Amino acid sequence: MKHLDEAALDRAARAQQSLLSVFLAALGAIMAIPQSASAQTAFTLPAPPFDVPMLPSPSGNWTVMVGIGGEYTPDFVGSNNGKFRPIPIFSIRRAGSFDQFRGPRDSASIALLDVGNFRAGPAFKYVSSRKSDKYSELTGLGDVKAAYELGGFVEYYPVDWLRLRSELRQGVGGHTGTVADVSADVIVPLIQRLTISAGPRFTWKSTKATAPYFGVDAAQALASGLPTYDARGGAHSVGFGSQISYRTNPQWEVHAYVEYEKLLGDAADSPLVRLRGSSNQTTIGLGASYSFDFRIR
């Protein structure tokens, strides 16, 4: 097991070095984009016909962040092999509020409540399907459909260099369980516009969010050769993440990151993970985002 862990960490280190080279190349390319002094209001929308109770009026200026990235991530949760996949970037916040920071694990979100150093609002995450015919490790385990996790987030800056964030989401589709993510990020400006951040992560999942991916019923055991396993929910993983980002102007930002996750509990003890995968999960990514303002009357 120690040899496997060292091999996984060595692969992650080599991939991180390659990613840093790509990040520097992308940084050079994005810096060639003409810079403007500040974000411009792209369009104006009419005010909604009603107000949501307990929330401030949506009227005013809002900032949208959209972008695309790519990451090298495990083939499936618990896998010992990886693949490259594209990922979207999306968030909305009040314009002019606390400088926007986005962590790699953040779900798409809208900060409907944005007061001082506190934000809260709806959050959404897409979990891709798991096809048993794509990977030999999954032979006989059947497919798991794509899941849509709907919920909300809260985040708070007790000081300007520390962000605390929590998300609670309910699955629909491939799993119907509950997922809770908690993270903290220390944000340190290195030079003007260049920032590094790092901090711990923790994830909790209910039984209905765990069993479809880590459980093995009698029919699956017969077809796969794995022992039967009744996966229950609980503490799912702990981890640590680090990100480096550069903002060329108020609109454009490019970033690279590494996220490490250690599976816990029934997820780590699943025969799929113990016999055919790994509890050590590393994701390495690169992305770019563009921010613009719009106004609601």
Side-chain angles (χ1 to χ4, degrees), residues 19 68-72 84-87 257 284-287:
L19 181 66
I68 185 102
E71 59 183 25
Y72 183 78
F84 181 84
R85 64 168 186 170
I87 55 168
Y257 58 88
I284 302 172
L286 174 73

Side-chain angles (χ1 to χ4, degrees), residues 212-229:
Y213 304 96
F214 299 98
V216 182
D217 61 26
Q220 291 172 336
L222 185 62
S224 67
L226 294 173
T228 58
Y229 185 70

Side-chain angles (χ1 to χ4, degrees), residues 147-257:
Y148 304 88
E149 295 179 355
L150 310 175
F153 81 97
V154 293
E155 69 178 35
Y156 177 65
Y157 289 79
V159 289
D160 59 4
W161 50 265
L162 175 63
R163 187 194 74 156
L164 308 176
R165 182 178 173 106
S166 178
E167 296 186 13
L168 184 64
R169 306 182 304 274
Q170 174 65 40
V172 178
H175 79 79
T176 57
T178 304
V179 178
D181 285 325
V182 180
S183 64
D185 287 277
V186 174
I187 307 164
V188 181
L190 292 180
I191 58 176
Q192 187 177 16
R193 299 178 179 175
L194 182 64
T195 302
I196 62 170
S197 59
R201 287 81 170 92
F202 173 77
T203 297
W204 178 93
K205 294 187 177 184
S206 69
T207 296
K208 290 184 178 180
T210 304
Y213 304 96
F214 299 98
V216 182
D217 61 26
Q220 291 172 336
L222 185 62
S224 67
L226 294 173
T228 58
Y229 185 70
D230 183 20
R232 299 285 182 175
H236 176 76
S237 67
V238 293
F240 188 86
S242 179
Q243 179 174 236
I244 181 171
S245 60
Y246 183 81
R247 185 175 294 277
T248 64
N249 59 39
Q251 289 78 45
W252 284 100
E253 180 181 271
V254 64
H255 59 267
Y257 58 88

Side-chain angles (χ1 to χ4, degrees), residues 33-118:
I33 299 173
Q35 299 185 18
S36 62
S38 60
Q40 300 296 317
T41 302
F43 53 85
T44 300
L45 296 176
F50 58 88
D51 290 330
V52 179
M54 307 299 293
L55 291 178
S57 171
S59 297
N61 291 330
W62 295 80
T63 298
V64 180
M65 174 188 285
V66 294
I68 185 102
E71 59 183 25
Y72 183 78
T73 187
D75 289 335
F76 53 87
V77 180
S79 174
N80 197 32
N81 300 304
K83 64 180 178 182
F84 181 84
R85 64 168 186 170
I87 55 168
I89 298 171
F90 177 80
S91 68
I92 299 178
R93 65 180 176 93
R94 288 276 185 181
S97 62
F98 201 86
D99 285 346
Q100 186 160 358
F101 169 82
R102 183 184 185 278
R105 288 166 53 95
D106 292 359
S107 299
S109 60
I110 302 175
L112 293 181
L113 183 60
D114 192 337
V115 181
N117 296 340
F118 178 83

